[in-house]
Amino acid sequence: MKLKTLILMMMLCISKTLWAQDYDLVIVGGTPGGIMAAIEAARMGKTSVVLERTAYIGGLPANGLGATDIATRGATTGLFSEFTQRIKAYYSKTYGKTSQQVKDCSDGFHFEPSVAEKIFQEMIAAEGARITVLTQRQFNFSTGDIEMQGQHVSRIRVVNRQTGAYEYYQGRIFVDATYEGDLGAAARVPYRVGREAAWEYDEPGAGKAYEYWKSLPAEGTTGEPDNAVQAYNYRLTLTDDPQQRMPIEKPATYRREDYVSLIDDVWTGRTTWKAVKDLSADVYEKNRQHLLNGGERSITPWDMWGIERLVSNNKVPNGKVDANNQHAVFISTDLPEENWPWPTSSWEWRDKFAQRLRDYTEGLFWFAQHDEALPLQFRREIQKWGYAKTEYQDNGYFPRQVYVREGRRFEGMYFFTAKDALPVAEGQRPPVHATSITASHYALDSHAARKRESGRAHLDGFISYPTAVYTVPYGVIVPKEVDNLLLPVPVSGSHIGFSTLRMEPCWMALGQAAGAAASIAIDDRCGVQQVNIPKLQERLLDEGATLFYYEDMTPADKDFKQAQQLGLQGKITSWKAKRVKNEE
């Protein structure tokens, strides 16, 4: 009897496990960075499997981030440009070249989430059988989910969320394309969570920081390090078109106390702009009386009214907006503090927080639309808005994925800090990295780390400092020791350094570089640390990537590749390559 029981138990274990499946690249995370890694590797003749935990691929662009975050559009090209070009072509083909949809797509940089998902699917399908995408595959980042041979990953284990079975995947190169850095953590790559001290790398906005928006230091700033993680939210897809507007329902867990501080802000018109730093109490009281006497909207300088008081909207096609957190107010869709455990927590915890964040977000809109303590004219303005009924129809018109702005940050071969994105002198470039795998450009930008505190000018951690177009070295995606792992999304950098790298265009470019580097490592039979950088750069340039940005030159120019190489060699420092050539 005991023997039969043992045999049955063994058979059950076997039935719940699939033997290892073998690929050139095993990519954990169906984010844009992971997708681009698979596409680039496929074009270099390599096979990939993309393991995505949710039922959908595409990460944040397929979940509300439809207004692309990039400061200089020509700075990042390659597969990212192919993505935006396909977006524009879709709207042109579907609605006509002179349509409003084409205008609103802003050359492919603004799009509906469903369209982004469609384009990612098309780009993958174009590579045929070399890319396998498997959804509902959960990697749990415990030591039991990865097998290592010294500093070499041999295979990983995931859970099929539909069947509950374990599945094993082995590959020559592994890619962590998760927003959290789960695979790298399982491989025991050293990482950081939280904020470095201001004095560790001499970075603006580092550590504990209170600043008026935008970035005027205020009382309370100490620069001290802590374990605080910048806030997450959902990038909502909203519309004020009655034909496609769906109501935002009151959540079952509605907590009015989460939102009551908004009442006085609306009545007074109080914001966090540095321009209103010196406004007197009389100005705020005047606004209150104006609204009480039937005024249609706020009269306080720099105040946002209606929907703009709740969220920052960017137009995308078909009457929709990408609604993000409103940075210049004390309460919006971000939910600081409560997300701090996310980077290192289990998926069980993360799922509970995701639901809490959804309830908080929907509760905020319900409060703003219905709470009688708010001005009637304000509530009426908010009531004009709702969800777009053509997005996320299987999820109550609500995004399926939390905007994880920052998870683990690894300590790789190169550690990116603010100095890598700031000009060395006025009008000049930031430091140029000869190992560049993409150019990029966005501000040093972090959301709040703490909720509202009495007497503070703004939420702790909300900062934004301008940068110049910079180069990103290969070392930010490469661990120091594990020889077959690349980290194109949870890259190596400080909290402030990461705050500019963490944009999807940059992640797509780093993903493309990871796919190329992985292919070269396989072909040359070397570790990822020993990849031939000139060969890698040659490949990226052949694919239209920009490694060194010029204001007057694009990948379409015949001298582009030569100018890129000269720039990385330090032979051209000007922002204008053609001017240098003419002077010669």
Side-chain angles (χ1 to χ4, degrees):
M1 192 68 174
K2 290 183 179 180
L3 181 59
K4 288 184 178 180
T5 301
L6 181 61
I7 293 172
L8 285 172
M9 290 177 64
M10 291 176 64
M11 291 177 65
L12 180 62
C13 289
I14 292 171
S15 69
K16 296 287 283 184
T17 302
L18 292 179
W19 301 115
Q21 301 176 57
D22 194 15
Y23 297 87
D24 291 320
L25 277 71
V26 175
I27 301 168
V28 179
T31 63
I35 292 168
M36 297 308 170
I39 291 171
E40 182 65 20
R43 293 180 181 181
M44 296 179 71
K46 305 298 182 287
T47 61
S48 297
V49 61
V50 178
L51 303 170
E52 166 56 35
R53 180 182 186 264
T54 72
Y56 303 89
I57 64 163
L60 263 296
N63 282 277
L65 205 166
T68 303
D69 290 323
I70 188 169
T72 298
R73 289 187 171 182
T76 306
T77 55
L79 285 177
F80 169 67
S81 286
E82 183 175 325
F83 172 76
T84 58
Q85 289 163 8
R86 283 174 174 263
I87 291 283
K88 184 177 181 179
Y90 167 83
Y91 284 112
S92 180
K93 180 180 179 180
T94 305
Y95 301 102
K97 293 182 179 180
T98 61
S99 65
Q100 187 63 45
Q101 287 87 349
V102 170
K103 295 176 184 176
D104 289 343
C105 85
S106 189
D107 283 330
F109 285 79
H110 288 194
F111 43 82
E112 299 159 274
S114 52
V115 174
E117 183 183 352
K118 176 182 177 64
I119 297 305
F120 283 132
Q121 293 281 12
E122 289 180 355
M123 292 178 73
I124 291 170
E127 304 307 323
R130 288 199 176 106
I131 300 177
T132 300
V133 176
L134 299 175
T135 59
Q136 300 278 25
R137 264 53 176 200
Q138 178 171 302
F139 180 75
N140 288 315
F141 65 85
S142 70
T143 54
D145 294 315
I146 191 168
E147 293 183 15
M148 306 277 296
Q149 296 176 348
Q151 293 297 327
H152 188 86
V153 182
S154 57
R155 70 174 185 172
I156 63 171
R157 180 180 71 181
V158 302
V159 177
N160 184 321
R161 297 178 67 201
Q162 294 176 308
T163 67
Y166 285 131
E167 298 175 355
Y168 290 86
Y169 296 88
Q170 60 190 34
R172 290 152 186 80
I173 303 291
F174 290 78
V175 177
D176 188 339
T178 66
Y179 291 122
E180 296 81 8
D182 287 343
L183 180 58
R188 300 183 181 178
V189 179
Y191 64 84
R192 299 187 182 195
V193 174
R195 302 186 290 184
E196 288 83 7
W199 50 86
E200 184 171 356
Y201 297 107
D202 191 25
E203 297 174 296
K208 191 175 182 67
Y210 294 93
E211 301 187 352
Y212 292 92
W213 186 253
K214 289 185 169 185
S215 296
L216 178 66
E219 185 178 354
T221 297
T222 65
E224 294 175 311
D226 56 25
N227 65 337
V229 177
Q230 66 171 308
Y232 303 163
N233 73 334
Y234 286 100
R235 294 288 283 253
L236 305 174
T237 306
L238 303 179
T239 183
D240 61 352
D241 178 2
Q243 299 301 314
Q244 61 169 326
R245 181 182 63 211
M246 300 299 294
I248 300 175
E249 304 293 344
K250 182 180 181 180
T253 60
Y254 179 71
R255 293 169 26 172
R256 184 177 185 270
E257 62 269 24
D258 284 340
Y259 320 109
V260 291
S261 67
L262 179 64
I263 297 169
D264 193 59
D265 289 346
V266 172
W267 280 108
T268 61
R270 189 180 304 278
T271 67
T272 66
W273 287 105
K274 63 182 179 181
V276 303
K277 178 174 71 73
D278 298 321
L279 289 184
S280 68
D282 290 343
V283 173
Y284 295 122
E285 182 58 30
K286 184 177 180 181
N287 194 74
R288 185 190 304 274
Q289 294 303 317
H290 169 76
L291 294 177
L292 281 170
N293 292 327
E296 292 185 2
R297 56 162 297 147
S298 174
I299 59 171
T300 300
W302 290 87
D303 187 21
M304 291 78 63
W305 185 251
I307 194 67
E308 289 293 334
R309 163 60 74 164
L310 288 194
V311 288
S312 175
N313 287 339
N314 285 288
K315 182 186 291 187
V316 298
N318 288 313
K320 303 172 187 176
V321 297
D322 165 0
N324 193 14
N325 184 81
Q326 175 54 264
H327 301 356
V329 299
F330 289 99
I331 179 171
S332 182
T333 55
D334 279 355
L335 186 57
E337 297 183 23
E338 297 186 35
N339 68 307
W340 289 5
W342 180 288
T344 58
S345 289
S346 67
W347 277 111
E348 180 182 9
W349 187 95
R350 290 170 180 171
D351 286 342
K352 289 178 181 178
F353 174 78
Q355 184 61 51
R356 158 65 177 149
L357 182 57
R358 176 173 180 166
D359 291 347
Y360 167 83
T361 305
E362 295 187 311
L364 173 65
F365 277 86
W366 176 266
F367 177 86
Q369 290 178 333
H370 299 285
D371 198 286
E372 293 184 357
L374 290 165
L376 175 62
Q377 57 272 51
F378 178 80
R379 283 179 274 143
R380 286 174 173 168
E381 286 297 316
I382 306 298
Q383 288 167 9
K384 295 177 182 178
W385 291 84
Y387 296 139
K389 69 179 182 182
T390 55
E391 302 291 339
Y392 327 116
Q393 292 179 336
D394 64 337
N395 199 45
Y397 316 103
F398 196 86
R400 308 176 186 108
Q401 198 162 347
V402 174
Y403 188 2
V404 178
R405 293 187 172 89
E406 183 175 2
R408 298 177 180 89
R409 306 184 315 276
F410 289 101
E411 297 179 0
M413 290 182 65
Y414 189 88
F415 196 77
F416 196 94
T417 70
K419 291 182 179 179
D420 292 296
L422 296 173
V424 296
E426 186 175 354
Q428 296 185 28
R429 295 176 180 272
V432 175
H433 292 285
T435 63
S436 175
I437 50 177
T438 186
S440 189
H441 191 201
Y442 200 73
L444 303 173
D445 179 275
S446 180
H447 285 235
R450 286 185 172 83
K451 296 180 181 181
R452 188 174 195 159
E453 300 171 85
S454 178
R456 297 301 184 194
H458 202 351
L459 309 181
D460 174 19
F462 232 135
I463 61 102
S464 181
Y465 289 88
T467 63
V469 182
Y470 52 84
T471 54
V472 184
Y474 175 60
V476 304
I477 70 170
V478 185
K480 294 177 182 177
E481 295 181 337
V482 183
D483 64 10
N484 66 333
L485 173 65
L486 291 166
L487 311 160
V489 178
V491 297
S492 172
S494 67
H495 163 64
I496 298 296
F498 187 88
S499 75
T500 181
L501 294 174
R502 64 177 185 84
M503 302 301 157
E504 297 291 354
C506 184
W507 275 334
M508 289 192 209
L510 296 179
Q512 179 177 5
S519 300
I520 292 171
I522 291 169
D523 289 342
D524 292 353
R525 299 183 179 181
C526 67
V528 293
Q529 294 83 3
Q530 288 77 46
V531 164
N532 184 302
I533 300 299
K535 183 185 292 188
L536 172 60
Q537 292 174 327
E538 182 88 6
R539 169 64 191 183
L540 294 174
L541 289 173
D542 286 343
E543 290 291 287
T546 296
L547 311 184
F548 186 88
Y549 173 73
Y550 295 107
E551 294 175 351
D552 62 345
M553 186 172 281
T554 73
D557 289 296
K558 65 181 181 66
D559 295 327
F560 178 77
K561 188 173 178 180
Q562 180 185 18
Q564 292 281 292
Q565 294 166 337
L566 291 173
L568 293 175
Q569 293 166 10
K571 296 179 180 179
I572 299 179
T573 59
S574 169
W575 291 100
K576 296 183 183 294
K578 292 180 180 178
R579 184 179 70 185
V580 171
K581 183 178 180 180
N582 291 336
E583 289 174 353
E584 292 176 347

